[in-house]
């Protein structure tokens, strides 16, 4: 190669140009070294024995050596762990044998001190001028940050950000693998899905705040993990719902045994931000022995069983059985029809008379919701009220019932002078109470109908009141200030706290029909009724007995000091026109064992 250069005299005057001859090999070497040392990727050359013959400065920096020359004659075993170095040598020997390159291979380089980085490497056969393979060369790009980003994205895609548990996607994927295994082998082990829903988590969230609620979920996740084997999968599906995948179980008892451990573990209180918090869990269980075709069906049935467990009482578990799905489908259709029913005013109040047990006179009515379904006929509240509770429609139905019943009893008061103080009782659900709008609804309805507040009584179950203490206490006090009555319904069937009972302005306790029906047949049942009556009187409250069906029950209740009651002995719930006929005739006919009211 020739290079032209201009020269100057000692005085600085230019002279003729001089041509300098530079050897071609020296130029090529200079250019290669310049290129290698300025490329941000690691470059190396090796001989046939995988010894370095040359590396660039980037590679030297990765090796932690001061100069590229210090790597000459050494091997990967001098810089990496034996496992990585051995794999690199195998790759290079394969390239030398076949002449085929390895392009963009992602590999994890691990240093002896345990540090590692991810690189994307291309390895090529190194040939002399005659085409003979004399070694290998490679270029390696550090992709550690890219791999970290990919891993973070992967983690976010498959793990819950709050608890760091697997999420729905990863849980479903692992469940799918078990389904595939079951299809390949008829004798594969059983597996089960447990669907968990924390009871009363909303109350914890509302009372302590969302941050405390998140902390509660994190602690609960750790406690749930303690109940499982290393190979089981615990996932968070969102909110307060968790799932468990149990692999390699032998029977249903193995799955229910895990559910029992979970119940025991969560029974103990935990401390969140200086406050003790309690919860229980409702668990639904689906077993692979049911012959599922896909994971979605198994999850669906475990979820269905969980709702069945929750409906039966909190802190329980339920194994899915065949007819639950049909009932769930029925409930779905019922929900669709129920939305139309509210719009079409198919929900109507029926009126069951409240009777003075001494005289048999009607002193008021309880308004009970009935659904006149266009094809199913009369649908009873035990079927549609739970659906309304779950879907949130119960508030709309409750407000409609309140307005309809108050308007009707006010019409009767105006029409019949002797019934000017006739009372009406309307049920309030736990969902209505938790939403806190009941008092405002009552105030609006009373204003619209002109009904005296003292003629209206709201019936709230003890469970609903205890579940919504923070909101319910304020609602009850506001209703009391309006002179609206309050009865505690189904008393004795829930979990009343006597410490709270005396602090609420409750006018009467309603004894549940289950206690009344067994009076006379079981001595201890009469003792329970006696205790409830005595408790009410000691607290300055009245007592109302539900479900009275015989004259003997009337006499027994009167002897205990219970003065009011209702039941089929007097009359079943009646539509408005028949209830009005009862008022018009002033007949209740309460005291016959064999007959029932002719108005039924």
């Amino acid at each position: 190669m020739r290079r032209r250069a201009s020269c100057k005299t000692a005085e600085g005057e230019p002279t003729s140009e001089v041509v300098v001859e530079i050897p071609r090999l020296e130029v090529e070497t200079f250019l290669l070294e310049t290129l290698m040392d300025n490329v941000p990727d690691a470059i190396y050359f090796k001989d046939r024995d995988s010894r370095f013959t040359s590396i660039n400065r980037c590679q030297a920096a990765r090796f932690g050596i001061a100069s590229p020359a210090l790597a000459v004659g050494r091997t990967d075993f001098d810089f990496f762990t034996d496992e990585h170095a051995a794999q690199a040598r195998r790759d290079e020997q394969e390239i030398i044998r076949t002449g085929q390159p390895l392009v963009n291979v992602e590999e994890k380089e691990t240093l002896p001190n345990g540090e590692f980085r991810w690189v994307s490497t291309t390895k090529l056969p190194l040939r002399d001028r005659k085409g003979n393979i004399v070694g290998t060369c490679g270029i390696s790009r550090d992709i550690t940050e890219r791999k970290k980003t990919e891993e973070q994205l992967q983690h976010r895609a498959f793990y819950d950000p709050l608890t760091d548990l697997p999420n729905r996607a990863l849980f479903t994927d692992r469940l799918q693998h078990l389904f595939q295994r079951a299809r390949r082998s008829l004798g594969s082990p059983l597996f089960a899905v447990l669907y968990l829903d924390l009871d009363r988590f909303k109350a914890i969230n509302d009372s302590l705040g969302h941050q405390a609620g998140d902390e509660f979920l994190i602690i609960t996740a750790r406690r749930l993990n303690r109940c499982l084997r290393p190979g089981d999968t615990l996932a968070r599906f969102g909110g307060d719902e968790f799932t468990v995948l149990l692999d390699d179980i032998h029977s249903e008892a193995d799955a229910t045994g895990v559910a029992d451990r979970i119940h025991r573990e969560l029974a103990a209180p935990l401390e969140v931000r200086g406050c003790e918090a309690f919860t229980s869990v409702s668990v639904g269980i689906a077993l692979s022995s049911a012959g599922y075709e896909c994971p979605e069906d198994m999850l669906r049935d475990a979820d269905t069983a969980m709702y069945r467990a929750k409906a039966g009482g909190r802190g329980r578990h339920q194994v899915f059985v065949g007819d639950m799905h049909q009932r769930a489908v029925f409930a779905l259709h019922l929900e669709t029809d129920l939305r139309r029913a509210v719009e079409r005013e198919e929900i109507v109040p029926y009126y069951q008379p409240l009777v003075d047990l001494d005289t048999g006179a009607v002193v008021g009515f309880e308004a009970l919701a009935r659904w006149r379904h266009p094809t199913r006929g009369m649908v009873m509240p035990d079927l549609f009220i739970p659906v309304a509770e779950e879907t949130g429609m119960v508030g709309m139905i409750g407000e409609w019932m309140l307005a309809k019943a108050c308007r009707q009893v006010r019409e009767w008061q105006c029409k019949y002078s002797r019934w000017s103080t006739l009372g009406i009782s309307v049920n309030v659900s736990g969902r209505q109470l938790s939403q806190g709008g009941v008092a405002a609804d009552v105030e609006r309805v009373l204003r619209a109908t002109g009904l005296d507040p003292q003629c209206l009584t709201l019936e709230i179950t003890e469970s609903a009141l205890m579940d919504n203490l923070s909101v319910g206490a304020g609602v009850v006090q506001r209703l009391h200030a309006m002179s609206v009555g309050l009865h505690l319904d189904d008393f004795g069937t829930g979990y009343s706290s006597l410490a709270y009972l005396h602090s609420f302005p409750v006018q009467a306790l309603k004894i549940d029909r289950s206690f009344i029906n067994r009076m006379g047949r079981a001595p201890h049942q009469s003792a329970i009724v006696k205790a409830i009556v005595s408790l009410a009187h000691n607290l300055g409250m009245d007592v109302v007995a539900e479900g009275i069906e015989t004259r003997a029950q009337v006499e027994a209740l009167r002897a205990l000091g219970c003065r009011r009651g209702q039941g089929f002995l007097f009359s079943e719930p009646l539509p408005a026109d028949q209830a009005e006929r009862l008022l018009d005739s002033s007949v209740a006919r309460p005291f016959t064992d064999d007959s029932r009211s002719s108005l039924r």
Side-chain angles (χ1 to χ4, degrees):
M1 177 178 178
R2 294 181 179 181
R3 176 181 296 174
R4 295 183 179 274
S6 58
C7 298
K8 295 182 180 181
T9 64
E11 290 78 16
E13 295 297 327
T15 64
S16 59
E17 289 186 342
V18 178
V19 178
V20 180
E21 188 76 26
I22 301 176
R24 182 181 181 86
L25 181 59
E26 182 181 337
V27 172
E28 291 177 349
T29 302
F30 173 76
L31 291 175
L32 179 60
E33 289 176 351
T34 302
L35 177 63
M36 286 179 60
D37 286 342
N38 286 278
V39 169
D41 298 326
I43 300 174
Y44 67 86
F45 295 88
K46 292 182 181 180
D47 61 19
R48 292 181 65 90
D49 291 327
S50 293
R51 295 183 181 278
F52 290 106
T53 59
S54 178
I55 66 172
N56 69 345
R57 291 192 180 278
C58 180
Q59 183 72 76
R62 288 191 190 177
F63 285 164
I65 56 179
S67 169
L70 296 176
V72 176
R74 302 170 76 177
T75 70
D76 283 325
F77 286 94
D78 295 305
F79 302 105
F80 301 112
T81 59
D82 290 351
E83 182 181 358
H84 178 73
Q87 181 60 51
R89 179 176 174 79
R90 285 193 295 270
D91 291 343
E92 290 153 3
Q93 293 304 309
E94 183 68 13
I95 291 171
I96 292 171
R97 186 182 68 83
T98 64
Q100 298 297 316
L102 292 177
V103 180
N104 292 333
V105 176
E106 293 186 0
E107 52 188 1
K108 188 177 182 181
E109 292 182 346
T110 306
L111 305 178
N113 64 2
E115 294 181 5
F116 69 89
R117 58 177 166 260
W118 282 95
V119 296
S120 175
T121 303
T122 294
K123 300 179 180 181
L124 306 168
L126 183 62
R127 301 176 185 272
D128 61 15
R129 293 183 181 277
K130 296 180 180 180
N132 298 318
I133 296 177
V134 296
T136 58
C137 65
I139 181 168
S140 177
R141 174 164 294 178
D142 191 324
I143 58 170
T144 304
E145 289 305 315
R146 192 194 84 192
K147 293 294 288 188
K148 285 182 179 178
T149 301
E150 289 176 356
E151 289 173 359
Q152 290 172 356
L153 292 174
Q154 179 89 349
H155 193 83
R156 290 175 187 171
F158 291 106
Y159 287 86
D160 173 56
L162 178 65
T163 62
D164 206 36
L165 292 175
N167 62 11
R168 179 187 292 267
L170 182 54
F171 185 90
T172 305
D173 182 68
R174 292 182 180 177
L175 182 57
Q176 180 66 53
H177 282 301
L178 295 187
F179 269 81
Q180 292 171 353
R181 184 190 68 186
R183 293 188 190 104
R184 290 193 303 266
S185 174
L186 294 177
S188 59
L190 291 177
F191 54 93
V193 169
L194 277 61
Y195 206 111
L196 286 63
D197 185 85
L198 300 182
D199 300 323
R200 299 187 70 249
F201 173 70
K202 184 178 183 300
I204 295 171
N205 227 12
D206 291 345
S207 59
L208 300 181
H210 290 288
Q211 290 185 338
D214 287 349
E215 185 178 336
F216 180 85
L217 290 173
I218 293 170
I219 298 172
T220 299
R222 294 178 191 149
R223 297 174 75 178
L224 290 172
N225 251 328
R226 292 202 291 264
C227 303
L228 307 178
R229 302 167 300 176
D232 298 331
T233 298
L234 171 66
R236 182 183 178 218
F237 266 34
D240 58 349
E241 292 184 335
F242 296 84
T243 52
V244 175
L245 180 57
L246 302 177
D247 188 16
D248 195 14
I249 62 174
H250 299 92
S251 66
E252 177 184 311
D254 291 339
T256 57
V258 172
D260 287 332
R261 287 202 299 273
I262 290 173
H263 290 313
R264 289 193 298 268
E265 178 68 29
L266 296 189
L270 59 85
E271 186 172 307
V272 178
R273 304 200 169 193
C275 298
E276 272 196 342
F278 295 82
T279 191
S280 57
V281 63
S282 298
V283 183
I285 303 172
L287 300 166
S288 62
S289 54
Y292 293 103
E293 293 295 328
C294 63
E296 290 76 14
D297 290 346
M298 194 171 186
L299 278 168
R300 176 203 65 203
D301 288 352
D303 187 25
T304 300
M306 181 274 291
Y307 277 105
R308 175 67 61 175
K310 190 176 285 289
R314 291 163 179 166
R316 300 176 69 252
H317 59 263
Q318 175 71 58
V319 178
F320 180 84
V321 292
D323 66 335
M324 285 184 184
H325 179 59
Q326 284 73 26
R327 280 182 281 180
V329 172
F330 172 77
L332 179 62
H333 292 160
L334 205 64
E335 176 188 343
T336 303
D337 290 348
L338 187 57
R339 293 186 185 279
R340 298 193 185 102
V342 175
E343 298 168 1
R344 297 171 181 173
E345 299 186 5
E346 295 170 2
I347 306 295
V348 295
Y350 269 46
Y351 301 90
Q352 186 169 34
L354 178 65
V355 174
D356 185 311
L357 298 184
D358 288 328
T359 65
V362 174
V363 294
F365 287 96
E366 179 182 0
L368 300 166
R370 295 293 186 267
W371 180 7
R372 290 174 176 164
H373 194 282
T375 58
R376 301 179 191 272
M378 190 66 72
V379 181
M380 304 305 285
D382 58 338
L383 281 179
F384 71 85
I385 291 298
V387 176
E389 287 266 10
E390 186 177 337
T391 57
M393 288 187 287
V394 71
M396 188 187 309
I397 294 174
E399 185 178 358
W400 164 257
M401 285 288 297
L402 176 69
K404 197 79 170 176
C406 288
R407 187 175 297 110
Q408 180 63 75
V409 79
R410 181 58 183 151
E411 287 180 8
W412 288 335
Q413 289 177 349
C414 295
K415 185 173 183 179
Y416 302 100
S417 58
R418 63 184 181 279
W419 298 115
S420 59
T421 59
L422 185 69
I424 184 70
S425 296
V426 180
N427 291 283
V428 174
S429 72
R431 184 69 174 266
Q432 287 176 273
L433 199 63
S434 67
Q435 292 171 346
V438 174
D441 292 342
V442 169
E443 191 172 19
R444 183 170 54 255
V445 168
L446 290 176
R447 191 185 311 114
T449 61
L451 182 68
D452 186 338
Q454 295 186 20
C455 295
L456 174 63
T457 297
L458 299 185
E459 298 191 2
I460 305 173
T461 65
E462 54 177 330
S463 298
L465 194 56
M466 293 300 110
D467 282 350
N468 300 279
L469 276 175
S470 57
V471 177
V475 172
V476 167
Q477 293 297 338
R478 186 175 169 187
L479 291 169
H480 179 64
M482 294 163 54
S483 299
V484 172
L486 179 68
H487 288 185
L488 207 55
D489 199 10
D490 298 340
F491 188 80
T493 62
Y495 49 94
S496 287
S497 170
L498 298 182
Y500 287 107
L501 183 59
H502 72 84
S503 63
F504 289 119
V506 175
Q507 283 76 47
L509 302 181
K510 295 193 74 173
I511 307 174
D512 186 69
R513 67 181 67 249
S514 61
F515 298 117
I516 304 301
N517 289 342
R518 291 193 290 266
M519 287 181 66
R521 291 182 290 172
H524 67 280
Q525 294 296 333
S526 296
I528 292 175
V529 174
K530 182 178 180 180
I532 295 174
V533 173
S534 177
L535 172 66
H537 289 167
N538 288 335
L539 292 175
M541 301 176 186
D542 289 332
V543 183
V544 179
E546 295 182 295
I548 299 174
E549 295 185 354
T550 68
R551 166 74 181 197
Q553 292 169 351
V554 172
E555 295 299 335
L557 288 166
R558 290 173 62 188
L560 293 175
C562 178
R563 293 291 175 256
R564 293 189 177 188
Q566 60 191 95
F568 280 13
L569 177 65
F570 312 112
S571 173
E572 66 183 38
L574 303 169
D577 59 341
Q578 293 188 30
E580 183 171 344
R581 284 167 50 196
L582 178 63
L583 290 175
D584 191 36
S585 64
S586 301
V587 173
R589 296 178 62 191
F591 302 129
T592 56
D593 284 336
D594 299 325
S595 63
R596 296 292 184 265
S597 171
S598 59
L599 298 174
R600 290 176 57 185

